[in-house]
Amino acid sequence: MQILKSKKKIAVVALSGGLDSCVTAAIANEDYELALLHANYNQLTEKKELESFNRIAEYYNVKHKLVVDLSHIAAIGGSSLTDKSIPVKKADLHSKEIPNSYVPFRNANILSVCTGWAEVLNASAIFIGAVFEDSSGYPDCRPEFFKAFQQVIKLGTKPDFNADIITPVINLSKAEIVKKGIELNAPLKFTWSCYTNEDEACGVCDSCALRLRGFQIAGVEDPIAYKIKPNYSGY
Amino acid sequence: MQILKSKKKIAVVALSGGLDSCVTAAIANEDYELALLHANYNQLTEKKELESFNRIAEYYNVKHKLVVDLSHIAAIGGSSLTDKSIPVKKADLHSKEIPNSYVPFRNANILSVCTGWAEVLNASAIFIGAVFEDSSGYPDCRPEFFKAFQQVIKLGTKPDFNADIITPVINLSKAEIVKKGIELNAPLKFTWSCYTNEDEACGVCDSCALRLRGFQIAGVEDPIAYKIKPNYSGY
């Protein structure tokens, strides 16, 4: 008797190329066929991020791959990640303020692109690696934001289409994300998180600090190169 | 005594260059300083639409003007407006089906850009000329869709920011939109609605048919040139 292998459902995964989105792709890969989407918005480290995206896509041998140009996000500005006249601040892991690296409404822009693509691919899910608990406090990383966007998808697409927004790492700490990535053999060595550098990670921006603290608390060596590697585990 | 003129609040207006968005800009112009946004998504008639946008922006003498490239929408495809292999159907004003000119999740993509810009400009409102009643039945033109998106703006932006989504023509008929435009001196002669042509409007696509019927019912001559001008007023 021939056993027919059921065709896997498709998930669109927003993959910046950083740690969180790579582990998110690894989680999606357990149950779905991956459709990987990368947004270029003229961020400072876009070249390196795109390289990470392509390596991760190659690692998972994906058929559906889409790189989109959202450079209007940089034209609109208002963030240190897209406007060179605003310096990227050194990390302050105790601050309650929204840091200047916040990119206005970035996740809604990215989710809108994901949804349009999901509708055309007839995908069942949209994965996004937003982190809320152990993060910089961006408003578009809140669970309530994604819940509200789910409603927009339900109402703004064809009646016979729906895709669940899945945020599998939203409430994990960075250390838990690192451990999850290792458990699933995610290619963490290809990921890039630094906001400012493309050769060696700076080690001192918000994103480096959160990442390094995660690896340090998890007791795992971060496989990428750093210019300096402060110990953040006590912060 | 010197009377200080209060500084007008800013409204971001999504302006395709068509009839509905032009009248929407005219309405916004009554109470706000206009910030006009045009999205190029490699639609068939983009060149003409951009020309319309620029002429309308000039007419209103706007300071804030932004043209964004959303050509990923065409790369994603799934619509006769962006994929030349899908023919634009002739109008069927009685059909209840979503026509193939539907561009997946276009309005969410456009609203996301508007919101990011509104946040940077600290605008108070976002105007979009969606029409629901007298339209082609696109899901992202439903009032519920905009209500849901309002919630996304509230939750996905900085706590001290909010902008109201205003859809002033959503429940108007095309004839009422024409009359409103004339009442407000909107530059209707600069608008472009045809889905397929850039020299003379075709007169037979969905968008031409809805527009012509509006002018015909309003009893007003449409100021733009048509290849053919069927009488739709009895439909």
Side-chain angles (χ1 to χ4, degrees):
Chain A
M1 195 181 80
Q2 198 190 358
I3 298 168
L4 288 172
K5 201 182 163 195
S6 66
K7 206 183 159 206
K8 265 191 177 179
K9 290 178 185 174
I10 296 174
V12 170
V13 181
L15 182 66
S16 67
L19 170 69
D20 307 331
S21 66
C22 177
V23 174
T24 297
I27 294 168
N29 186 56
E30 296 285 287
D31 297 310
Y32 296 86
E33 183 185 345
L34 299 180
L36 300 181
L37 186 141
H38 178 76
N40 161 19
Y41 52 95
N42 283 359
Q43 62 273 49
L44 301 175
T45 57
E46 169 51 23
K47 204 180 140 202
K48 188 73 183 180
E49 287 185 29
L50 182 59
E51 185 189 308
S52 295
F53 169 79
N54 282 322
R55 286 187 172 176
I56 297 164
E58 204 177 333
Y59 179 86
Y60 285 112
N61 197 21
V62 300
K63 189 171 77 181
H64 306 290
K65 204 173 116 173
L66 183 66
V67 176
V68 298
D69 183 346
L70 304 187
S71 51
H72 59 270
I73 289 180
I76 287 170
S79 166
S80 63
L81 296 199
T82 56
D83 181 345
K84 284 182 184 157
S85 72
I86 307 173
V88 178
K89 282 194 187 150
K90 283 194 181 177
D92 175 0
L93 297 182
H94 297 295
S95 170
K96 297 284 172 209
E97 299 267 300
I98 296 174
N100 70 8
S101 55
Y102 167 63
V103 178
F105 222 45
R106 174 178 53 186
N107 282 346
N109 277 276
I110 292 173
L111 277 176
S112 295
V113 182
C114 287
T115 306
W117 197 32
E119 193 170 357
V120 173
L121 292 175
N122 201 23
S124 314
I126 296 166
F127 279 73
I128 183 162
V131 174
F132 183 61
E133 284 299 333
D134 195 10
S135 82
S136 298
Y138 299 149
D140 57 351
C141 286
R142 285 189 269 195
E144 310 89 274
F145 164 76
F146 294 104
K147 205 175 154 194
F149 206 95
Q150 184 70 65
Q151 192 63 7
V152 168
I153 294 178
K154 192 181 159 195
L155 294 167
T157 56
K158 286 186 180 173
D160 55 356
F161 170 76
N162 201 24
D164 297 322
I165 301 176
I166 302 178
T167 54
V169 300
I170 201 163
N171 288 317
L172 299 189
S173 69
K174 286 280 182 184
E176 290 168 324
I177 294 170
V178 169
K179 285 181 193 162
K180 191 77 191 168
I182 287 167
E183 178 197 324
L184 296 175
N185 277 318
L188 302 185
K189 63 183 175 192
F190 295 146
T191 63
W192 195 254
S193 306
C194 181
Y195 280 157
T196 61
N197 293 6
E198 297 194 292
D199 45 356
E200 288 178 308
C202 75
V204 294
C205 71
D206 237 33
S207 185
C208 278
L210 286 163
R211 176 183 173 126
L212 274 173
R213 183 171 67 175
F215 273 96
Q216 287 160 356
I217 292 172
V220 177
E221 190 66 25
D222 187 341
I224 69 163
Y226 284 86
K227 203 167 168 188
I228 55 167
K229 241 177 166 171
N231 187 344
Y232 293 104
S233 55
Y235 280 78
Chain B
M1 195 183 78
Q2 198 190 356
I3 297 168
L4 288 171
K5 201 182 162 194
S6 65
K7 208 183 159 207
K8 265 192 177 178
K9 289 179 186 175
I10 296 174
V12 170
V13 182
L15 181 67
S16 67
L19 171 69
D20 306 330
S21 66
C22 178
V23 175
T24 296
I27 294 168
N29 186 55
E30 297 286 287
D31 297 309
Y32 296 87
E33 182 184 345
L34 299 181
L36 300 181
L37 186 140
H38 178 76
N40 160 19
Y41 52 95
N42 283 0
Q43 61 274 49
L44 301 174
T45 57
E46 169 52 22
K47 202 180 141 202
K48 188 74 184 178
E49 287 185 30
L50 182 61
E51 184 188 310
S52 295
F53 168 79
N54 282 320
R55 286 186 171 177
I56 297 164
E58 204 177 332
Y59 179 87
Y60 286 113
N61 196 21
V62 300
K63 188 172 78 180
H64 305 290
K65 205 173 118 175
L66 182 66
V67 176
V68 298
D69 182 346
L70 304 187
S71 52
H72 60 269
I73 289 180
I76 288 170
S79 166
S80 63
L81 295 199
T82 56
D83 181 345
K84 283 182 183 155
S85 72
I86 307 173
V88 178
K89 282 192 186 151
K90 284 193 181 177
D92 176 358
L93 297 182
H94 297 295
S95 170
K96 297 282 172 212
E97 298 267 299
I98 296 174
N100 70 9
S101 55
Y102 166 63
V103 179
F105 222 46
R106 176 179 51 186
N107 282 347
N109 276 276
I110 292 172
L111 277 177
S112 295
V113 182
C114 288
T115 305
W117 197 32
E119 193 170 357
V120 173
L121 292 174
N122 201 23
S124 315
I126 295 166
F127 279 73
I128 183 163
V131 174
F132 183 61
E133 284 300 330
D134 195 9
S135 82
S136 297
Y138 299 149
D140 57 352
C141 287
R142 286 188 267 195
E144 310 90 273
F145 164 77
F146 294 104
K147 205 176 153 195
F149 206 94
Q150 184 71 65
Q151 192 63 8
V152 168
I153 294 178
K154 192 181 158 197
L155 294 167
T157 54
K158 285 185 182 175
D160 54 356
F161 171 77
N162 201 24
D164 296 323
I165 301 176
I166 301 179
T167 54
V169 301
I170 200 162
N171 288 318
L172 299 188
S173 70
K174 287 279 181 184
E176 289 168 324
I177 294 170
V178 168
K179 286 181 192 162
K180 189 80 193 166
I182 288 166
E183 178 197 325
L184 297 174
N185 278 317
L188 302 185
K189 63 182 172 191
F190 295 147
T191 63
W192 195 255
S193 306
C194 181
Y195 280 156
T196 61
N197 293 7
E198 298 193 291
D199 45 356
E200 289 179 305
C202 75
V204 294
C205 71
D206 236 34
S207 184
C208 279
L210 286 162
R211 175 183 173 125
L212 274 173
R213 184 172 65 176
F215 275 95
Q216 287 160 356
I217 292 172
V220 177
E221 189 67 26
D222 188 340
I224 68 163
Y226 283 86
K227 203 167 168 188
I228 57 167
K229 242 177 164 171
N231 186 343
Y232 292 105
S233 55
Y235 280 77

